[in-house]
Amino acid sequence: MIRKFRVQSLEFRVLVFILSLFTIYYSLFTEVQAKIYIDINAPSFRRIPIAVTEFKNLGTAPDREGHSQKMTEVIKNNLNFTGFFELLNPASFIEDPNRAGIAEESIDFKDWAAIGAEALIKGGIIFDGQRITVEARLFDVFQGRMITGKRYTGDVKDFRKIAHNFSNEIVKSFTGEEGIFETSIALISNSIGAKEIYVMDYDGYNIRRMTNSGSLNLSPNWSPDGSKIAFSSVRGRSWWLYTIDLKTKEEKRLTLQRGLNISPSFSPNGDKLAFAYSKEGNSDIYIMEGNNMRRITNHVAIDISPSWSPDGKNIAFVSDRGGSPQIYIMDSNGEGVRRITFEGNYNVSPSWSPRGDRIVFASRRGGKFEICTINPDGSDLQQLTYEGNNENPSWSPDGRYIVFSSRRDGGTGIYSMRANGENQRLITSKGVTAINPAWSPRTRE
Amino acid sequence: MMIRKGLFLSAVVVVMSIFLFSSCAEKEVKPEAKPEAVAPKEKMKDELLAKVEETPKLQDIHFDFDKYNIREDAKATLMKNAEWLKKNPGVKIQVEGHCDERGANDYNLALGDKRAKSTRDYLSSLGIDGGRISTISFGEERPQDPGHNEAAWAKNRRAHFVILK
């Protein structure tokens, strides 16, 4: 077989030579793309100064609804959210936007170096009826070349999605890991009277109702593939566990006994569901696998709120077996129960980081509820919130951010923050009462 | 020979263009599922209330924060409730356990569950057949007083009684 490919002519040899040159060039180029500019795990890292220019209309049809500006704003908001970047003020930009293009050769990188920019975002849109073509590029100002570029075609109404996708590319270029801008957050809101489940984009946009039960629904928990949400719901004067398929909105009641079936939690590979069940006033943790239900705690105290470690070997949960609600960890078969919180008399709602290194929970401190994180061995407790009353924390799939509900500024809404407590911001609309946020896994279509 | 060279050159040009443009990958963005607008406030079609009847004859009892033991002041109320239940032997009731808004929603469901069960147990100890009493917890989800202060919280930490239809 190999013999067939023996070099036979001079031309062919030259072609092979040129090809290998390009291969070398190409692998160097991709290495640049994959180079990690920011070590976000370093104790302190420097924010990258980045300039985001407004996307240009590259076509002949007008931009009637200001999508160029909107798209730029979405990208800026995403980059701001990460905490990795310092967004430069457009007032400081030297470049004449009417003259400069979005291609490497039409950019004078000195104009950007002069204002301290190390990275530059440029983009263009062509409008064609309800369709758009978007060209988005990230440049390295020092090296004067493109780091990554993408071309998208889609419906105008998908402009946020396109901006989120490109933002993910930007974060990937700098950190080696994709961003979380295309993820969603489930929550509970009583906007229409009953407490129903809603899903919104990670930044609070595009909120849509999932359940229509006219009842009480709580504790949404995503399946690891992002296709469904488990939750607890009161139906017929009893609490049951349901799953809802997010595409079809079809609800399925899990086969359970009447009583209090609450706080479902999918195992990392999705084949098991841990939850709390109480029949006679004593809730314990159970694991359901297929049609099998196994009790894994057996204590007269309250055992509730299981959360799996990302390797599936351990489960964090809440128990008041020590006289007050505290966070405990056990092996996923129920053995080896050990308490990890000892500060304060009310620690609840544990959620294990997808990175495995921290557990986030809500803690009552000085009469108020605050979000804290702790190592799974009980060391290095950190308080992240200091304002309002904060509950029900949930990790982003990359373990870098936390969403939680907070009653502050006269309302109760969903807030997000970095895993170190920085950059706290309200993501639901003002005036919308929302609780119980659950961050989705990364999903791919 | 000339033709071969021409072919060779065009091959080089094609290869070059592939390399130059490959970094600009094209993506087709699929349309998202049609977002459903959040409807304005409308009345809850409450299946929870449809199946029960409120009665002034059965009085609420109250609890301390994060506790589910029956307080001394609650015992007198439960005795009156037990008297009424003895006079109305055909009635089946459900005890609802409620909490104040503080703390985790699911922990409060478990706590409300404990409150409902300890209330039922106390009624049983007064001679009421446990088979007439079912329980449910509403945790912090159905406050009697929507306020965010100690007075509201004290009212909301309660066991409430309804007649099952």
Side-chain angles (χ1 to χ4, degrees):
Chain A
M1 287 295 279
I2 292 164
R3 280 182 187 196
K4 281 189 181 171
F5 294 98
R6 277 175 65 181
V7 176
Q8 284 169 354
S9 70
L10 178 66
E11 284 90 342
F12 194 78
R13 267 188 246 178
V14 173
L15 181 62
V16 166
F17 176 70
I18 291 174
L19 256 177
S20 27
L21 275 186
F22 270 104
T23 313
I24 291 164
Y25 165 78
Y26 191 68
S27 40
L28 283 176
F29 188 77
T30 45
E31 195 162 307
V32 169
Q33 278 189 307
K35 182 180 164 193
I36 295 171
Y37 287 71
I38 309 175
D39 181 6
I40 36 197
N41 299 315
S44 67
F45 61 86
R46 196 180 56 93
R47 286 168 199 236
I48 302 264
I50 191 167
V52 184
T53 60
E54 190 165 313
F55 278 35
K56 292 182 84 159
N57 184 351
L58 298 177
T60 47
D63 176 7
R64 286 201 184 82
E65 292 165 62
H67 280 102
S68 308
Q69 199 212 339
K70 284 183 194 164
M71 230 162 146
T72 316
E73 287 308 315
V74 175
I75 293 174
K76 280 183 176 176
N77 183 57
N78 288 345
L79 297 183
N80 244 329
F81 175 87
T82 63
F84 303 157
F85 301 96
E86 177 200 342
L87 268 76
L88 298 176
N89 184 352
S92 72
F93 295 178
I94 301 168
E95 183 187 83
D96 178 357
N98 295 319
R99 288 177 59 193
I102 68 163
E104 217 165 270
E105 55 278 9
S106 67
I107 300 167
D108 190 347
F109 287 99
K110 288 198 293 295
D111 284 350
W112 296 105
I115 62 164
E118 291 175 22
L120 169 67
I121 309 285
K122 287 199 164 230
I125 312 181
I126 295 168
F127 295 87
D128 178 14
Q130 281 310 299
R131 303 284 290 172
I132 46 172
T133 302
V134 178
E135 191 93 32
R137 291 168 180 183
L138 164 66
F139 298 96
D140 182 324
V141 171
F142 288 156
Q143 304 197 34
R145 71 172 176 208
M146 187 167 84
I147 301 171
T148 184
K150 291 277 177 226
R151 184 182 300 122
Y152 302 89
T153 53
D155 282 354
V156 177
K157 66 176 175 55
D158 290 327
F159 77 95
R160 300 191 69 87
K161 202 175 175 173
I162 293 170
H164 286 324
N165 187 281
F166 187 63
S167 302
N168 278 339
E169 290 293 328
I170 298 170
V171 167
K172 192 177 176 185
S173 299
F174 283 101
T175 67
E177 194 185 328
E178 210 168 89
I180 44 74
F181 309 116
E182 288 178 279
T183 58
S184 305
I185 292 165
L187 56 91
I188 304 291
S189 176
N190 61 355
S191 297
I192 59 161
K195 286 190 171 165
E196 304 284 6
I197 295 178
Y198 292 75
V199 170
M200 63 184 182
D201 294 353
Y202 101 94
D203 56 5
Y205 282 82
N206 194 19
I207 188 163
R208 58 266 187 203
R209 183 154 53 87
M210 290 295 145
T211 54
N212 187 25
S213 62
S215 179
L216 240 174
N217 303 289
L218 282 177
S219 308
N221 183 270
W222 293 80
S223 65
D225 66 359
S227 69
K228 57 190 175 194
I229 290 175
F231 60 100
S232 35
S233 182
V234 182
R235 312 274 169 102
R237 305 291 295 184
S238 175
W239 284 91
W240 303 97
L241 294 183
Y242 284 80
T243 56
I244 182 164
D245 183 299
L246 297 181
K247 276 218 172 79
T248 63
K249 293 200 181 168
E250 192 186 327
E251 288 181 12
K252 197 176 120 195
R253 185 196 279 188
L254 304 179
T255 314
L256 298 161
Q257 298 176 53
R258 206 180 166 81
L260 185 69
N261 293 285
I262 48 171
S263 61
S265 172
F266 278 105
S267 63
N269 65 6
D271 61 353
K272 299 186 191 79
L273 192 72
F275 64 101
Y277 169 63
S278 162
K279 192 182 181 182
E280 296 296 332
N282 170 33
S283 60
D284 278 311
I285 310 289
Y286 289 72
I287 290 178
M288 182 190 288
E289 188 173 12
N291 288 325
N292 289 327
M293 197 163 129
R294 201 165 76 244
R295 183 183 196 152
I296 58 164
T297 68
N298 195 345
H299 201 285
V300 290
I302 292 172
D303 291 337
I304 197 171
S305 307
S307 171
W308 297 79
S309 63
D311 63 8
K313 289 180 180 159
N314 294 283
I315 292 175
F317 66 105
V318 171
S319 180
D320 72 344
R321 59 184 66 189
S324 64
Q326 298 291 346
I327 314 296
Y328 290 75
I329 289 178
M330 62 185 163
D331 303 344
S332 60
N333 61 5
E335 285 167 15
V337 174
R338 60 267 188 202
R339 178 173 166 181
I340 64 161
T341 53
F342 291 91
E343 251 182 68
N345 61 1
Y346 197 110
N347 295 304
V348 291
S349 305
S351 176
W352 209 308
S353 159
R355 293 182 175 270
D357 57 342
R358 301 288 284 173
I359 290 169
V360 68
F361 60 100
S363 179
R364 187 166 184 243
R365 310 188 138 217
K368 286 169 58 182
F369 285 86
E370 307 292 0
I371 306 299
C372 298
T373 55
I374 196 166
N375 286 341
D377 66 2
S379 64
D380 193 25
L381 173 70
Q382 285 172 24
Q383 182 176 339
L384 305 181
T385 58
Y386 291 90
E387 194 190 335
N389 269 286
N390 309 286
E391 295 180 6
N392 291 309
S394 168
W395 292 97
S396 63
D398 62 357
R400 301 198 194 286
Y401 311 96
I402 295 165
V403 278
F404 56 101
S405 64
S406 183
R407 186 159 56 75
R408 52 173 93 168
D409 302 330
T412 300
I414 308 301
Y415 287 71
S416 64
M417 63 180 167
R418 293 182 56 202
N420 64 4
E422 285 175 14
N423 213 358
Q424 295 184 19
R425 45 160 89 178
L426 176 66
I427 51 177
T428 41
S429 306
K430 254 200 176 324
V432 169
T433 300
I435 56 165
N436 250 218
W439 210 314
S440 80
R442 282 198 183 92
T443 46
R444 283 271 158 267
E445 284 167 18
Chain B
M1 200 60 187
M2 285 301 282
I3 294 166
R4 282 187 67 185
K5 272 195 178 150
L7 274 175
F8 166 66
L9 277 177
S10 14
V12 171
V13 168
V14 166
V15 168
M16 279 178 72
S17 11
I18 288 169
F19 278 107
L20 288 177
F21 294 105
S22 60
S23 60
C24 218
E26 181 150 348
K27 286 198 174 180
E28 171 73 23
V29 176
K30 287 180 197 152
E32 278 179 87
K34 204 175 172 187
E36 188 188 321
V38 175
K41 279 183 194 266
E42 60 185 50
K43 190 147 171 61
M44 179 164 25
K45 51 168 186 183
D46 201 332
E47 72 150 297
L48 307 177
L49 293 179
K51 291 178 177 164
V52 297
E53 184 187 321
E54 296 288 333
T55 171
K57 301 291 182 192
L58 298 170
Q59 295 288 306
D60 289 1
I61 60 165
H62 296 90
F63 296 85
D64 291 334
F65 176 70
D66 196 30
K67 295 284 188 288
Y68 49 85
N69 59 296
I70 304 297
R71 291 192 329 213
E72 285 306 317
D73 62 325
K75 288 178 181 170
T77 309
L78 288 181
M79 267 190 260
K80 282 183 202 154
N81 288 351
E83 287 308 314
W84 186 85
L85 285 167
K86 279 175 190 165
K87 282 179 199 154
N88 297 273
V91 173
K92 287 194 171 185
I93 64 162
Q94 191 167 45
V95 183
E96 299 177 351
H98 295 267
C99 304
D100 69 36
E101 64 178 355
R102 295 171 295 167
N105 298 68
D106 50 6
Y107 178 78
N108 279 335
L109 284 177
L111 181 63
D113 183 53
K114 288 267 191 203
R115 285 176 178 166
K117 297 289 169 29
S118 59
T119 304
R120 184 179 74 168
D121 290 349
Y122 197 83
L123 286 174
S124 295
S125 75
L126 295 175
I128 308 300
D129 174 13
R132 293 174 62 193
I133 311 167
S134 64
T135 60
I136 188 169
S137 174
F138 285 112
E140 63 180 88
E141 312 305 326
R142 308 197 133 219
Q144 194 174 37
D145 184 329
H148 306 298
N149 51 58
E150 186 48 58
W153 296 332
K155 277 185 223 165
N156 292 336
R157 294 188 299 264
R158 69 200 192 277
H160 180 68
F161 304 86
V162 292
I163 296 171
L164 290 176
K165 284 182 188 171

